[in-house]
Amino acid sequence: MATCWQGLWAYRSYLIVFLLPIFLLPLPILVPTKEAYCAYSIILMALFWCTEALPLAVTALFPIILYPMMGIMDASEVCIEYFKDTNILFVGGLLVAIAVEHWNLHKRIALRVLLIIGVRPALLLLGFMLVTAFLSMWISNTATTAMMVPIAHAVLEQLYKTPTGKDVEEGSDNPTFELQEPSPQKDVTKLDNGQVHPVPPASSELKAQKDRQRVRFSQGMSLCVCYSASIGGIATLTGTTPNLVLQGQVNSLFPENGNVVNFASWFGFAFPTMVILLLLAWLWLQVLFLGFNFLKNFGFGGHEREQEQAAFHIIQSEHKLLGPMTFAEKAVSVLFVILVVLWFTREPGFFLGWGNLAFPDKDGKSMASDGTVAIFIGIIMFLVPSKIPGLTQDPDKPGRLKAPPALLNWKTVNEKMPWNIVFLLGGGFALAKGSEKSGLSEWLGDKLTPLQNVPPPAIAFILCLLIATFTECTSNVATTTLFLPILASMAQAICLHPLYVMLPCTLSASLAFMLPVATPPNAIVFSFGGLKVSDMARTGFLLNIIGVLVITLAINSWSFPIFSLYTFPSWAYSNTTANCMVNQANTTTARP
């Protein structure tokens, strides 16, 4: 019997793939409408994404097959959804990120910041969190975590290295890392003749205490890296894929939105949210793993010991190994700064950007998008040499001259570019478009009209909790892809600004703090050892609540002037919205 269950478990992916479509067949058979056909496709893809019976990118290709066969959309219409402007922005942003990573510029930034901040416990936590969050704003949070965790463990190893020499003779320890457990004091014995003789402390108890301190702080350091990688990604439009899913869904569902979600508007909304959440996460990790004695956590009252100096020297030596900045690093830095400046000034909204002035359409809007800028800088990286232009001897072919390689080459890009995310994004956009074309969005909006009586802040808060819980069990990209079209329909049905629910739910999809499988940074940290699932779940649970509260604050305060959330936008009108407006007018008239 046990062997039978083991066999079924071993073949679970095959069974899910073959049985689920059959199990769901009654829906399109009993309700032969386009809405039901589209619902069948979405439910099937959602279950495949949740179970990962097929690779996420493969499941994302289902609309190309199902929509034309079910008469929902023409195949050519579906295929267009797989390479929209948002996908271009994703590819262009990653080209720059790959160049930064390829030339080790991210490591130089990380080590330089750590040298400035120092190695006191609380400051060390803050330093690693600031560096990881900043890098995660621009490059993959997985790559950031994979780089930062080994550095963190190397520093910790030096901090807790067994002292030698004078420290051993005196039996001293590092007072800064005593946390909240006082060191056992040396007992004294007073003899009848008045002489005092010290009694040595119980070495086993001291060692056990040191081990507990080391384990606790090591856990805190590991978690601070993976958490800050997830938090940092929300600050920029290209920082994490759910942000791009939002932009693509808004542009697909509301073509007349006037590019309301762009790099500058997103940064203005998400960056303060990220900063507040990062600082609160730092305080929570400090309290949980270092204790409440903040003076000791910051190193006040203590003096530097060999362990701290050794840890500082580790960072110094790693920084020195990088050598002086190469021409390639300087070139990548300059192009990176140019990219960010062009993004911010393209169409900022509060003044005319270079896109409005140089490349306007008939309405004065910029014809160049953020994706245009990203691809432009990405192509330049294939043209700029990695060394000061000149001719050198080709080592493989003596007597021949050779030009230096470019900052990027296609082999490097092809190896590091996550092409599966391009298909995953496209599949999400195809789902949204299919929901609109089939009428499923309108039907769903009609069913959600009772929510009109619930206060908008309560709706946003409950939805954020729902998304934050759901994203612990499935991919954050799949979560946003599935929920955003539904939320857009709901907002239209109850006359609520679509971005009022779509923005906070997109941010909540990045609050994957409780489980190792929730996001790649969590898995990387967990694989290094020293953590139990219970440690991550206990720490991440409260951090999830903190994150939802911070996001709720953001959407009800500074997001209003940035996205004009005061009134329902004209670009979001639909048939369900018209019904909602009529109901509102009737309610207002009926009041005495």
mmCIF file of all heavy atoms in Angstrom, residues 230 233-234 236-237 240-250 261 266 269-270 460 463-464 467-468 471 476-477 479-481 483-485 487 498-512 551 555:
data_model
loop_
_atom_site.group_PDB
_atom_site.id
_atom_site.type_symbol
_atom_site.label_atom_id
_atom_site.label_comp_id
_atom_site.label_asym_id
_atom_site.label_seq_id
_atom_site.Cartn_x
_atom_site.Cartn_y
_atom_site.Cartn_z
ATOM 1 N N SER A 230 13.490 41.151 -1.175
ATOM 2 C CA SER A 230 12.086 41.226 -1.598
ATOM 3 C C SER A 230 11.525 42.636 -1.430
ATOM 4 O O SER A 230 10.784 43.126 -2.283
ATOM 5 C CB SER A 230 11.242 40.240 -0.775
ATOM 6 O OG SER A 230 11.635 38.908 -1.028
ATOM 7 N N GLY A 233 12.866 45.248 -4.122
ATOM 8 C CA GLY A 233 12.347 45.114 -5.479
ATOM 9 C C GLY A 233 11.089 45.911 -5.755
ATOM 10 O O GLY A 233 10.790 46.213 -6.911
ATOM 11 N N ILE A 234 10.337 46.261 -4.696
ATOM 12 C CA ILE A 234 9.075 46.981 -4.933
ATOM 13 C C ILE A 234 9.305 48.447 -5.282
ATOM 14 O O ILE A 234 8.393 49.118 -5.757
ATOM 15 C CB ILE A 234 8.138 46.891 -3.703
ATOM 16 C CG1 ILE A 234 8.683 47.699 -2.527
ATOM 17 C CG2 ILE A 234 7.906 45.449 -3.308
ATOM 18 C CD1 ILE A 234 7.763 47.746 -1.321
ATOM 19 N N THR A 236 11.148 50.073 -7.580
ATOM 20 C CA THR A 236 11.220 50.513 -8.978
ATOM 21 C C THR A 236 10.326 49.633 -9.847
ATOM 22 O O THR A 236 10.032 48.485 -9.494
ATOM 23 C CB THR A 236 12.665 50.446 -9.516
ATOM 24 O OG1 THR A 236 13.144 49.090 -9.415
ATOM 25 C CG2 THR A 236 13.582 51.362 -8.723
ATOM 26 N N LEU A 237 9.952 50.164 -10.980
ATOM 27 C CA LEU A 237 9.052 49.444 -11.884
ATOM 28 C C LEU A 237 9.690 48.158 -12.396
ATOM 29 O O LEU A 237 9.006 47.160 -12.624
ATOM 30 C CB LEU A 237 8.670 50.360 -13.055
ATOM 31 C CG LEU A 237 7.472 49.951 -13.902
ATOM 32 C CD1 LEU A 237 6.223 49.792 -13.052
ATOM 33 C CD2 LEU A 237 7.226 50.977 -15.003
ATOM 34 N N THR A 240 10.971 44.154 -9.666
ATOM 35 C CA THR A 240 10.421 42.800 -9.543
ATOM 36 C C THR A 240 9.302 42.640 -10.560
ATOM 37 O O THR A 240 8.638 43.615 -10.927
ATOM 38 C CB THR A 240 9.931 42.531 -8.105
ATOM 39 O OG1 THR A 240 9.559 41.172 -7.976
ATOM 40 C CG2 THR A 240 8.764 43.420 -7.728
ATOM 41 N N THR A 241 9.085 41.429 -11.016
ATOM 42 C CA THR A 241 8.176 41.193 -12.140
ATOM 43 C C THR A 241 6.722 41.585 -11.872
ATOM 44 O O THR A 241 6.045 42.070 -12.788
ATOM 45 C CB THR A 241 8.256 39.712 -12.572
ATOM 46 O OG1 THR A 241 9.626 39.317 -12.630
ATOM 47 C CG2 THR A 241 7.627 39.504 -13.916
ATOM 48 N N PRO A 242 6.155 41.384 -10.658
ATOM 49 C CA PRO A 242 4.761 41.813 -10.444
ATOM 50 C C PRO A 242 4.508 43.281 -10.775
ATOM 51 O O PRO A 242 3.413 43.631 -11.238
ATOM 52 C CB PRO A 242 4.546 41.539 -8.949
ATOM 53 C CG PRO A 242 5.442 40.400 -8.638
ATOM 54 C CD PRO A 242 6.668 40.632 -9.490
ATOM 55 N N ASN A 243 5.507 44.148 -10.558
ATOM 56 C CA ASN A 243 5.330 45.564 -10.903
ATOM 57 C C ASN A 243 5.088 45.727 -12.402
ATOM 58 O O ASN A 243 4.248 46.531 -12.830
ATOM 59 C CB ASN A 243 6.562 46.373 -10.490
ATOM 60 C CG ASN A 243 6.887 46.228 -9.021
ATOM 61 O OD1 ASN A 243 6.122 45.651 -8.265
ATOM 62 N ND2 ASN A 243 8.029 46.752 -8.609
ATOM 63 N N LEU A 244 5.825 44.974 -13.199
ATOM 64 C CA LEU A 244 5.655 45.039 -14.648
ATOM 65 C C LEU A 244 4.336 44.402 -15.072
ATOM 66 O O LEU A 244 3.716 44.827 -16.050
ATOM 67 C CB LEU A 244 6.829 44.339 -15.336
ATOM 68 C CG LEU A 244 8.180 45.046 -15.206
ATOM 69 C CD1 LEU A 244 9.302 44.156 -15.711
ATOM 70 C CD2 LEU A 244 8.174 46.347 -15.994
ATOM 71 N N VAL A 245 3.918 43.366 -14.333
ATOM 72 C CA VAL A 245 2.607 42.765 -14.617
ATOM 73 C C VAL A 245 1.515 43.813 -14.443
ATOM 74 O O VAL A 245 0.608 43.936 -15.278
ATOM 75 C CB VAL A 245 2.350 41.559 -13.688
ATOM 76 C CG1 VAL A 245 0.915 41.054 -13.858
ATOM 77 C CG2 VAL A 245 3.332 40.431 -13.989
ATOM 78 N N LEU A 246 1.601 44.594 -13.377
ATOM 79 C CA LEU A 246 0.615 45.653 -13.142
ATOM 80 C C LEU A 246 0.591 46.642 -14.299
ATOM 81 O O LEU A 246 -0.479 46.957 -14.841
ATOM 82 C CB LEU A 246 0.922 46.389 -11.844
ATOM 83 C CG LEU A 246 0.117 47.677 -11.636
ATOM 84 C CD1 LEU A 246 -1.322 47.360 -11.266
ATOM 85 C CD2 LEU A 246 0.740 48.565 -10.589
ATOM 86 N N GLN A 247 1.767 47.131 -14.682
ATOM 87 C CA GLN A 247 1.808 48.114 -15.765
ATOM 88 C C GLN A 247 1.207 47.539 -17.049
ATOM 89 O O GLN A 247 0.412 48.196 -17.733
ATOM 90 C CB GLN A 247 3.246 48.570 -16.027
ATOM 91 C CG GLN A 247 3.336 49.721 -17.011
ATOM 92 C CD GLN A 247 4.708 49.857 -17.642
ATOM 93 O OE1 GLN A 247 5.362 48.873 -17.959
ATOM 94 N NE2 GLN A 247 5.155 51.091 -17.812
ATOM 95 N N GLY A 248 1.573 46.302 -17.351
ATOM 96 C CA GLY A 248 1.040 45.675 -18.560
ATOM 97 C C GLY A 248 -0.462 45.463 -18.504
ATOM 98 O O GLY A 248 -1.159 45.681 -19.499
ATOM 99 N N GLN A 249 -0.968 45.042 -17.340
ATOM 100 C CA GLN A 249 -2.406 44.822 -17.204
ATOM 101 C C GLN A 249 -3.179 46.131 -17.319
ATOM 102 O O GLN A 249 -4.244 46.194 -17.953
ATOM 103 C CB GLN A 249 -2.710 44.168 -15.840
ATOM 104 C CG GLN A 249 -2.098 42.791 -15.638
ATOM 105 C CD GLN A 249 -2.880 41.689 -16.334
ATOM 106 O OE1 GLN A 249 -3.608 41.943 -17.283
ATOM 107 N NE2 GLN A 249 -2.713 40.470 -15.880
ATOM 108 N N VAL A 250 -2.674 47.199 -16.701
ATOM 109 C CA VAL A 250 -3.335 48.501 -16.779
ATOM 110 C C VAL A 250 -3.385 48.974 -18.230
ATOM 111 O O VAL A 250 -4.422 49.448 -18.716
ATOM 112 C CB VAL A 250 -2.619 49.537 -15.884
ATOM 113 C CG1 VAL A 250 -3.151 50.946 -16.158
ATOM 114 C CG2 VAL A 250 -2.816 49.195 -14.419
ATOM 115 N N VAL A 261 0.834 54.637 -15.154
ATOM 116 C CA VAL A 261 1.861 53.902 -14.392
ATOM 117 C C VAL A 261 3.138 53.892 -15.220
ATOM 118 O O VAL A 261 3.277 53.143 -16.178
ATOM 119 C CB VAL A 261 1.413 52.455 -14.084
ATOM 120 C CG1 VAL A 261 2.513 51.719 -13.313
ATOM 121 C CG2 VAL A 261 0.126 52.444 -13.290
ATOM 122 N N TRP A 266 5.586 55.390 -10.461
ATOM 123 C CA TRP A 266 5.740 54.221 -9.598
ATOM 124 C C TRP A 266 6.778 54.476 -8.509
ATOM 125 O O TRP A 266 6.573 54.140 -7.346
ATOM 126 C CB TRP A 266 6.117 52.987 -10.409
ATOM 127 C CG TRP A 266 6.318 51.785 -9.536
ATOM 128 C CD1 TRP A 266 7.464 51.343 -8.952
ATOM 129 C CD2 TRP A 266 5.297 50.884 -9.094
ATOM 130 N NE1 TRP A 266 7.241 50.235 -8.189
ATOM 131 C CE2 TRP A 266 5.912 49.929 -8.262
ATOM 132 C CE3 TRP A 266 3.922 50.795 -9.339
ATOM 133 C CZ2 TRP A 266 5.194 48.885 -7.660
ATOM 134 C CZ3 TRP A 266 3.226 49.756 -8.731
ATOM 135 C CH2 TRP A 266 3.859 48.825 -7.917
ATOM 136 N N PHE A 269 5.522 56.571 -5.677
ATOM 137 C CA PHE A 269 4.607 55.851 -4.791
ATOM 138 C C PHE A 269 5.321 54.768 -3.987
ATOM 139 O O PHE A 269 5.137 54.655 -2.764
ATOM 140 C CB PHE A 269 3.484 55.230 -5.630
ATOM 141 C CG PHE A 269 2.709 54.157 -4.922
ATOM 142 C CD1 PHE A 269 1.931 54.462 -3.814
ATOM 143 C CD2 PHE A 269 2.755 52.841 -5.367
ATOM 144 C CE1 PHE A 269 1.209 53.466 -3.154
ATOM 145 C CE2 PHE A 269 2.042 51.849 -4.717
ATOM 146 C CZ PHE A 269 1.271 52.166 -3.609
ATOM 147 N N ALA A 270 6.156 53.961 -4.654
ATOM 148 C CA ALA A 270 6.688 52.751 -4.023
ATOM 149 C C ALA A 270 7.964 52.981 -3.219
ATOM 150 O O ALA A 270 8.215 52.257 -2.253
ATOM 151 C CB ALA A 270 6.938 51.683 -5.091
ATOM 152 N N ALA A 460 -9.332 47.510 0.427
ATOM 153 C CA ALA A 460 -7.900 47.450 0.113
ATOM 154 C C ALA A 460 -7.152 46.618 1.153
ATOM 155 O O ALA A 460 -6.294 45.792 0.800
ATOM 156 C CB ALA A 460 -7.323 48.862 0.036
ATOM 157 N N LEU A 463 -8.008 42.824 0.799
ATOM 158 C CA LEU A 463 -7.386 42.273 -0.414
ATOM 159 C C LEU A 463 -5.883 42.118 -0.244
ATOM 160 O O LEU A 463 -5.294 41.133 -0.705
ATOM 161 C CB LEU A 463 -7.696 43.179 -1.608
ATOM 162 C CG LEU A 463 -9.138 43.130 -2.131
ATOM 163 C CD1 LEU A 463 -9.351 44.187 -3.201
ATOM 164 C CD2 LEU A 463 -9.464 41.746 -2.676
ATOM 165 N N CYS A 464 -5.235 43.075 0.423
ATOM 166 C CA CYS A 464 -3.792 42.975 0.668
ATOM 167 C C CYS A 464 -3.474 41.749 1.521
ATOM 168 O O CYS A 464 -2.494 41.028 1.246
ATOM 169 C CB CYS A 464 -3.278 44.235 1.358
ATOM 170 S SG CYS A 464 -3.136 45.667 0.278
ATOM 171 N N ILE A 467 -3.855 38.623 -0.747
ATOM 172 C CA ILE A 467 -2.743 38.455 -1.690
ATOM 173 C C ILE A 467 -1.464 38.057 -0.952
ATOM 174 O O ILE A 467 -0.713 37.179 -1.407
ATOM 175 C CB ILE A 467 -2.500 39.758 -2.484
ATOM 176 C CG1 ILE A 467 -3.742 40.157 -3.274
ATOM 177 C CG2 ILE A 467 -1.307 39.615 -3.413
ATOM 178 C CD1 ILE A 467 -4.121 39.209 -4.365
ATOM 179 N N ALA A 468 -1.201 38.682 0.198
ATOM 180 C CA ALA A 468 0.004 38.360 0.970
ATOM 181 C C ALA A 468 -0.019 36.907 1.433
ATOM 182 O O ALA A 468 1.039 36.257 1.503
ATOM 183 C CB ALA A 468 0.128 39.295 2.169
ATOM 184 N N THR A 471 0.412 34.598 -1.903
ATOM 185 C CA THR A 471 1.741 34.625 -2.530
ATOM 186 C C THR A 471 2.756 33.785 -1.764
ATOM 187 O O THR A 471 3.843 33.526 -2.276
ATOM 188 C CB THR A 471 2.236 36.080 -2.673
ATOM 189 O OG1 THR A 471 3.310 36.137 -3.611
ATOM 190 C CG2 THR A 471 2.742 36.618 -1.324
ATOM 191 N N ASN A 476 4.746 34.872 -7.146
ATOM 192 C CA ASN A 476 4.170 36.223 -7.061
ATOM 193 C C ASN A 476 3.726 36.729 -8.432
ATOM 194 O O ASN A 476 2.789 37.511 -8.532
ATOM 195 C CB ASN A 476 5.144 37.207 -6.392
ATOM 196 C CG ASN A 476 6.502 37.241 -7.056
ATOM 197 O OD1 ASN A 476 6.705 36.648 -8.123
ATOM 198 N ND2 ASN A 476 7.452 37.920 -6.451
ATOM 199 N N VAL A 477 4.388 36.272 -9.481
ATOM 200 C CA VAL A 477 3.973 36.661 -10.836
ATOM 201 C C VAL A 477 2.620 36.034 -11.170
ATOM 202 O O VAL A 477 1.713 36.699 -11.685
ATOM 203 C CB VAL A 477 5.028 36.228 -11.875
ATOM 204 C CG1 VAL A 477 4.616 36.681 -13.270
ATOM 205 C CG2 VAL A 477 6.389 36.791 -11.527
ATOM 206 N N THR A 479 0.415 35.078 -9.027
ATOM 207 C CA THR A 479 -0.586 35.690 -8.138
ATOM 208 C C THR A 479 -1.125 36.985 -8.732
ATOM 209 O O THR A 479 -2.342 37.182 -8.833
ATOM 210 C CB THR A 479 0.034 35.966 -6.757
ATOM 211 O OG1 THR A 479 0.502 34.739 -6.198
ATOM 212 C CG2 THR A 479 -0.984 36.583 -5.813
ATOM 213 N N THR A 480 -0.226 37.878 -9.127
ATOM 214 C CA THR A 480 -0.672 39.156 -9.694
ATOM 215 C C THR A 480 -1.363 38.951 -11.040
ATOM 216 O O THR A 480 -2.358 39.631 -11.346
ATOM 217 C CB THR A 480 0.508 40.122 -9.869
ATOM 218 O OG1 THR A 480 1.601 39.430 -10.507
ATOM 219 C CG2 THR A 480 1.004 40.646 -8.531
ATOM 220 N N THR A 481 -0.866 38.016 -11.824
ATOM 221 C CA THR A 481 -1.478 37.744 -13.123
ATOM 222 C C THR A 481 -2.925 37.293 -12.977
ATOM 223 O O THR A 481 -3.803 37.687 -13.760
ATOM 224 C CB THR A 481 -0.672 36.665 -13.871
ATOM 225 O OG1 THR A 481 0.663 37.138 -14.086
ATOM 226 C CG2 THR A 481 -1.289 36.332 -15.208
ATOM 227 N N PHE A 483 -4.975 37.744 -10.168
ATOM 228 C CA PHE A 483 -5.856 38.603 -9.378
ATOM 229 C C PHE A 483 -6.105 39.972 -9.999
ATOM 230 O O PHE A 483 -7.190 40.532 -9.821
ATOM 231 C CB PHE A 483 -5.280 38.787 -7.969
ATOM 232 C CG PHE A 483 -5.614 37.663 -7.033
ATOM 233 C CD1 PHE A 483 -4.758 36.596 -6.860
ATOM 234 C CD2 PHE A 483 -6.805 37.668 -6.330
ATOM 235 C CE1 PHE A 483 -5.063 35.557 -6.005
ATOM 236 C CE2 PHE A 483 -7.132 36.639 -5.468
ATOM 237 C CZ PHE A 483 -6.254 35.568 -5.299
ATOM 238 N N LEU A 484 -5.132 40.554 -10.689
ATOM 239 C CA LEU A 484 -5.287 41.934 -11.146
ATOM 240 C C LEU A 484 -6.472 42.137 -12.098
ATOM 241 O O LEU A 484 -7.210 43.121 -11.956
ATOM 242 C CB LEU A 484 -3.987 42.441 -11.775
ATOM 243 C CG LEU A 484 -2.841 42.702 -10.788
ATOM 244 C CD1 LEU A 484 -1.619 43.257 -11.516
ATOM 245 C CD2 LEU A 484 -3.261 43.658 -9.680
ATOM 246 N N PRO A 485 -6.693 41.265 -13.089
ATOM 247 C CA PRO A 485 -7.881 41.476 -13.934
ATOM 248 C C PRO A 485 -9.183 41.405 -13.127
ATOM 249 O O PRO A 485 -10.131 42.161 -13.398
ATOM 250 C CB PRO A 485 -7.802 40.321 -14.949
ATOM 251 C CG PRO A 485 -6.367 39.924 -14.968
ATOM 252 C CD PRO A 485 -5.873 40.136 -13.574
ATOM 253 N N LEU A 487 -9.541 42.199 -9.945
ATOM 254 C CA LEU A 487 -9.622 43.427 -9.144
ATOM 255 C C LEU A 487 -10.030 44.620 -10.004
ATOM 256 O O LEU A 487 -10.774 45.495 -9.549
ATOM 257 C CB LEU A 487 -8.272 43.699 -8.475
ATOM 258 C CG LEU A 487 -7.797 42.649 -7.472
ATOM 259 C CD1 LEU A 487 -6.419 43.013 -6.928
ATOM 260 C CD2 LEU A 487 -8.787 42.505 -6.330
ATOM 261 N N PRO A 498 -9.537 51.954 -10.274
ATOM 262 C CA PRO A 498 -8.884 50.637 -10.368
ATOM 263 C C PRO A 498 -7.525 50.563 -9.679
ATOM 264 O O PRO A 498 -7.188 49.544 -9.072
ATOM 265 C CB PRO A 498 -8.754 50.426 -11.880
ATOM 266 C CG PRO A 498 -9.841 51.234 -12.475
ATOM 267 C CD PRO A 498 -9.982 52.439 -11.594
ATOM 268 N N LEU A 499 -6.751 51.646 -9.769
ATOM 269 C CA LEU A 499 -5.417 51.615 -9.162
ATOM 270 C C LEU A 499 -5.482 51.579 -7.637
ATOM 271 O O LEU A 499 -4.510 51.180 -6.993
ATOM 272 C CB LEU A 499 -4.597 52.830 -9.620
ATOM 273 C CG LEU A 499 -4.210 52.857 -11.095
ATOM 274 C CD1 LEU A 499 -3.379 54.099 -11.395
ATOM 275 C CD2 LEU A 499 -3.423 51.613 -11.475
ATOM 276 N N TYR A 500 -6.607 51.980 -7.059
ATOM 277 C CA TYR A 500 -6.729 51.985 -5.606
ATOM 278 C C TYR A 500 -6.634 50.568 -5.032
ATOM 279 O O TYR A 500 -6.176 50.372 -3.906
ATOM 280 C CB TYR A 500 -8.047 52.628 -5.178
ATOM 281 C CG TYR A 500 -8.186 52.780 -3.682
ATOM 282 C CD1 TYR A 500 -7.558 53.819 -2.994
ATOM 283 C CD2 TYR A 500 -8.924 51.863 -2.939
ATOM 284 C CE1 TYR A 500 -7.667 53.944 -1.618
ATOM 285 C CE2 TYR A 500 -9.048 51.975 -1.563
ATOM 286 C CZ TYR A 500 -8.412 53.020 -0.911
ATOM 287 O OH TYR A 500 -8.514 53.126 0.458
ATOM 288 N N VAL A 501 -7.061 49.568 -5.813
ATOM 289 C CA VAL A 501 -6.934 48.182 -5.357
ATOM 290 C C VAL A 501 -5.804 47.442 -6.062
ATOM 291 O O VAL A 501 -5.199 46.526 -5.495
ATOM 292 C CB VAL A 501 -8.260 47.412 -5.542
ATOM 293 C CG1 VAL A 501 -9.296 47.894 -4.565
ATOM 294 C CG2 VAL A 501 -8.773 47.527 -6.963
ATOM 295 N N MET A 502 -5.477 47.839 -7.283
ATOM 296 C CA MET A 502 -4.440 47.128 -8.037
ATOM 297 C C MET A 502 -3.040 47.445 -7.509
ATOM 298 O O MET A 502 -2.175 46.557 -7.432
ATOM 299 C CB MET A 502 -4.543 47.475 -9.522
ATOM 300 C CG MET A 502 -5.845 47.025 -10.171
ATOM 301 S SD MET A 502 -6.041 47.544 -11.895
ATOM 302 C CE MET A 502 -4.985 46.354 -12.722
ATOM 303 N N LEU A 503 -2.794 48.702 -7.144
ATOM 304 C CA LEU A 503 -1.467 49.072 -6.641
ATOM 305 C C LEU A 503 -1.111 48.355 -5.338
ATOM 306 O O LEU A 503 -0.043 47.719 -5.255
ATOM 307 C CB LEU A 503 -1.390 50.592 -6.442
ATOM 308 C CG LEU A 503 -1.296 51.454 -7.695
ATOM 309 C CD1 LEU A 503 -1.494 52.926 -7.340
ATOM 310 C CD2 LEU A 503 0.046 51.264 -8.379
ATOM 311 N N PRO A 504 -1.944 48.430 -4.295
ATOM 312 C CA PRO A 504 -1.558 47.765 -3.046
ATOM 313 C C PRO A 504 -1.460 46.255 -3.169
ATOM 314 O O PRO A 504 -0.606 45.631 -2.525
ATOM 315 C CB PRO A 504 -2.662 48.174 -2.059
ATOM 316 C CG PRO A 504 -3.812 48.562 -2.893
ATOM 317 C CD PRO A 504 -3.229 49.138 -4.145
ATOM 318 N N CYS A 505 -2.299 45.659 -3.999
ATOM 319 C CA CYS A 505 -2.239 44.203 -4.159
ATOM 320 C C CYS A 505 -0.979 43.773 -4.903
ATOM 321 O O CYS A 505 -0.435 42.699 -4.648
ATOM 322 C CB CYS A 505 -3.492 43.704 -4.873
ATOM 323 S SG CYS A 505 -4.961 43.820 -3.837
ATOM 324 N N THR A 506 -0.509 44.612 -5.821
ATOM 325 C CA THR A 506 0.757 44.318 -6.498
ATOM 326 C C THR A 506 1.915 44.348 -5.508
ATOM 327 O O THR A 506 2.787 43.463 -5.523
ATOM 328 C CB THR A 506 1.006 45.340 -7.626
ATOM 329 O OG1 THR A 506 -0.073 45.286 -8.560
ATOM 330 C CG2 THR A 506 2.314 45.046 -8.351
ATOM 331 N N LEU A 507 1.938 45.346 -4.634
ATOM 332 C CA LEU A 507 2.987 45.404 -3.610
ATOM 333 C C LEU A 507 2.877 44.226 -2.648
ATOM 334 O O LEU A 507 3.895 43.655 -2.231
ATOM 335 C CB LEU A 507 2.902 46.719 -2.833
ATOM 336 C CG LEU A 507 3.205 48.017 -3.588
ATOM 337 C CD1 LEU A 507 3.221 49.192 -2.620
ATOM 338 C CD2 LEU A 507 4.541 47.934 -4.315
ATOM 339 N N SER A 508 1.658 43.845 -2.297
ATOM 340 C CA SER A 508 1.466 42.742 -1.349
ATOM 341 C C SER A 508 1.970 41.420 -1.912
ATOM 342 O O SER A 508 2.333 40.516 -1.148
ATOM 343 C CB SER A 508 -0.013 42.616 -0.991
ATOM 344 O OG SER A 508 -0.481 43.780 -0.355
ATOM 345 N N ALA A 509 2.004 41.295 -3.230
ATOM 346 C CA ALA A 509 2.510 40.056 -3.833
ATOM 347 C C ALA A 509 3.996 39.852 -3.558
ATOM 348 O O ALA A 509 4.507 38.739 -3.717
ATOM 349 C CB ALA A 509 2.255 40.074 -5.340
ATOM 350 N N SER A 510 4.697 40.910 -3.157
ATOM 351 C CA SER A 510 6.125 40.802 -2.831
ATOM 352 C C SER A 510 6.359 40.521 -1.351
ATOM 353 O O SER A 510 7.506 40.396 -0.927
ATOM 354 C CB SER A 510 6.860 42.090 -3.224
ATOM 355 O OG SER A 510 6.849 42.271 -4.623
ATOM 356 N N LEU A 511 5.282 40.418 -0.553
ATOM 357 C CA LEU A 511 5.427 40.172 0.889
ATOM 358 C C LEU A 511 5.500 38.672 1.163
ATOM 359 O O LEU A 511 4.716 38.118 1.940
ATOM 360 C CB LEU A 511 4.268 40.798 1.653
ATOM 361 C CG LEU A 511 4.044 42.302 1.478
ATOM 362 C CD1 LEU A 511 2.869 42.773 2.335
ATOM 363 C CD2 LEU A 511 5.304 43.085 1.841
ATOM 364 N N ALA A 512 6.443 38.008 0.528
ATOM 365 C CA ALA A 512 6.598 36.552 0.709
ATOM 366 C C ALA A 512 7.719 36.312 1.717
ATOM 367 O O ALA A 512 8.868 36.090 1.342
ATOM 368 C CB ALA A 512 6.907 35.892 -0.627
ATOM 369 N N ILE A 551 1.569 49.321 3.428
ATOM 370 C CA ILE A 551 0.981 49.480 2.091
ATOM 371 C C ILE A 551 -0.382 50.161 2.183
ATOM 372 O O ILE A 551 -0.724 51.010 1.352
ATOM 373 C CB ILE A 551 0.877 48.105 1.394
ATOM 374 C CG1 ILE A 551 2.276 47.581 1.064
ATOM 375 C CG2 ILE A 551 0.047 48.200 0.126
ATOM 376 C CD1 ILE A 551 2.298 46.133 0.626
ATOM 377 N N ILE A 555 -1.340 53.657 0.231
ATOM 378 C CA ILE A 555 -2.410 53.823 -0.761
ATOM 379 C C ILE A 555 -3.448 54.838 -0.295
ATOM 380 O O ILE A 555 -4.168 55.415 -1.117
ATOM 381 C CB ILE A 555 -3.079 52.449 -1.054
ATOM 382 C CG1 ILE A 555 -3.885 52.515 -2.360
ATOM 383 C CG2 ILE A 555 -3.954 52.008 0.086
ATOM 384 C CD1 ILE A 555 -3.095 52.830 -3.593
#
